[in-house]
DNA sequence: ATTATATATGCGTGATTGCGCATGTAAGCA
DNA sequence: TGCTTACATGCGCAATCACGCATATATAAT
């Protein structure tokens, strides 16, 4: 009971809901810099909120060199039904814009992995153009 | 988005989860004294938490004389799916005990309505016996 | 009118929360 | 070894929260 309350407390912040929405949208692993770019918030803020979600056992982490990948923690009992509910429940607001920015940002990945840190919003489009040219 | 966060914040407290569980269990209207007896907490605490849930538009109220009946607010968009999720999500812990105490307490109703205020736990069983004798 | 009852709320307190700023840690690279 | 990069965290502050205690409000009953 207290445990459930802790989970809802973790979901009781707009930034953390935006983070959860992003994970539910991709179903993929994401590193901190990608989420920082998607939500357009200071890195330390993203880090803190991710830690909160991890302590609530909604997310899990996996380190790969300097990069830390976060993803939905499917191992916890009840999380599956929670995630399924959230996926349909989180709509409207700025959720869609976050998803769009994330989609853009993920183009910069190489072989499915993040290869750059935080990208200033002003430089993203140019970098995407270069990336697409390289791939061709 | 902020609105959704507010809803989860309303759900981020053990006592409020117990209250929601009780409403989901009965689907019925309940007055403050009945919930006070079911959760075995001070009246002012129940009142405060109910106000929080009402402000989050999870519950609505309806006055009948001195009694105030609370019930699930089905009119808000998204609440239906939320309630459906919660009903299966809230299990175990002390949720079941609350439901049992509520079932007992509801026996004291007359024609489906509450007719007594807060009943000290020590007196409940005796009152139920009398009530059942009257009904027969 | 007065009293009793059902519910709500003002107030003070200790605890928690989110933010901003700065810095710490750890891994990769020159 | 030293520098850069990705991420985490200590600290102080202002805001919010839940509780306990007492009291206010409102309706009903005598």
């Amino acid at each position: 009971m207290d445990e459930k309350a802790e989970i809802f407390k973790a979901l009781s912040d707009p930034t953390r809901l935006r983070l959860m929405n992003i994970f539910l949208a991709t179903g993929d692993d994401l590193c901190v810099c990608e989420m920082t770019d998607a939500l357009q918030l200071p890195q330390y803020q993203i880090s803190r909120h991710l830690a909160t979600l991890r302590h609530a056992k909604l997310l899990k982490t996996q380190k790969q060199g300097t990069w830390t990948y976060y993803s939905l923690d499917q191992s916890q009992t009840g999380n599956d039904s929670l995630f399924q509910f959230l996926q349909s429940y989180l709509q409207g607001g700025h959720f869609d814009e976050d998803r769009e920015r994330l989609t853009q940002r993920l183009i910069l990945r190489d072989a499915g992995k993040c290869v750059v840190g935080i990208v200033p919003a002003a430089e993203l489009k140019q970098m995407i153009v270069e990336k697409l040219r390289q791939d061709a």
Side-chain angles (χ1 to χ4, degrees), chain A residues 10-116:
Chain A
L11 296 173
S12 73
D13 176 272
T15 302
R16 289 196 289 270
L17 279 187
R18 291 171 67 190
L19 287 171
M20 288 303 294
N21 166 63
I22 279 189
F23 283 105
L24 293 164
T26 73
D28 207 354
D29 295 14
L30 297 170
C31 68
V32 180
C33 54
E34 291 169 333
M35 293 181 272
T36 303
D37 285 346
L39 268 61
Q40 297 280 83
L41 289 173
Q43 175 267 324
Y44 64 80
Q45 221 175 100
I46 301 292
S47 237
R48 278 252 162 69
H49 285 299
L50 285 173
T52 300
L53 290 170
R54 187 163 54 82
H55 288 136
K57 299 185 176 175
L58 293 172
L59 300 180
K60 58 181 168 62
T61 56
Q62 165 206 2
K63 289 206 67 170
Q64 283 189 22
T66 320
W67 277 268
T68 302
Y69 287 88
Y70 284 77
S71 58
L72 296 174
D73 187 347
Q74 319 261 10
S75 75
Q76 296 294 315
T77 312
N79 274 9
D80 275 351
S81 64
L82 174 58
F83 295 158
Q84 191 176 351
F85 161 69
L86 285 177
Q87 193 153 23
S88 67
Y89 192 66
L90 300 182
Q91 281 177 12
H94 287 247
F95 289 127
D96 298 339
E97 305 175 16
D98 291 338
R99 296 188 187 198
E100 178 59 23
R101 272 194 299 266
L102 178 67
T103 302
Q104 294 290 311
R105 170 60 221 249
L106 289 182
I107 297 177
L108 296 184
R109 281 196 176 191
D110 219 69
K113 294 192 179 177
C114 181
V115 290
V116 293

